């Protein structure tokens, strides 16, 4: 089983499982798929209409990880709840922050 942050070639990718129309915006932990892959579970209050939920996801991740919104780009799953984002930045720092957010339950 691998974590949600993966390195493919020169890119760092972050796997997400998104729940739109949630009661709050939060990083809700990990989602384990039946194939053994692990994604970061993210909930947003925005609806999945015309990219609103995608924008809310990027806003939430940028705020939680303390990076600019431009650090994230959706590379797969634009219209799906399972998404893959490319991360441009300090991946080890992102991994450390990801681990601390999930361990502490800070959402």
């Amino acid at each position: 089983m691998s974590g949600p942050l993966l390195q493919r070639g020169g890119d760092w990718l972050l796997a997400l499982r998104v729940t739109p129309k949630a009661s709050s915006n939060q990083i809700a932990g990990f989602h384990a798929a039946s194939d053994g892959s692990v994604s970061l579970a993210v909930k947003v209050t925005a609806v999945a209409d015309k990219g609103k939920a995608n924008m809310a996801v990027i806003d939430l991740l940028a705020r939680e990880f303390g990076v600019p919104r431009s650090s994230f780009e959706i590379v797969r799953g634009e219209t799906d709840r399972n998404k893959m984002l490319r991360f441009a930045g300090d991946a080890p720092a992102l991994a450390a922050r990801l681990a601390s957010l999930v361990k502490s339950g800070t959402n």
Side-chain angles (χ1 to χ4, degrees), residues 59-80:
D59 288 342
L60 173 64
L61 293 175
R63 185 175 60 252
E64 290 290 338
F65 296 129
V67 298
R69 293 182 70 239
S70 60
S71 296
F72 295 100
E73 174 191 3
I74 298 174
V75 295
R76 188 176 71 220
E78 189 87 23
T79 60
D80 191 350

Side-chain angles (χ1 to χ4, degrees), residues 34-82:
S34 59
D35 66 0
S37 63
V38 176
S39 301
L40 186 64
V42 177
K43 297 180 178 185
V44 293
T45 57
V47 297
D49 180 48
K50 298 179 182 156
K52 292 176 186 173
N54 290 339
M55 290 183 65
V57 165
I58 290 174
D59 288 342
L60 173 64
L61 293 175
R63 185 175 60 252
E64 290 290 338
F65 296 129
V67 298
R69 293 182 70 239
S70 60
S71 296
F72 295 100
E73 174 191 3
I74 298 174
V75 295
R76 188 176 71 220
E78 189 87 23
T79 60
D80 191 350
R81 69 178 33 233
N82 296 306

Side-chain angles (χ1 to χ4, degrees), residues 27 61 64-65 96-107:
I27 295 175
L61 293 175
E64 290 290 338
F65 296 129
R97 181 72 175 128
L98 177 64
S100 71
L101 283 173
V102 173
K103 283 180 186 176
S104 70
T106 304
N107 299 329

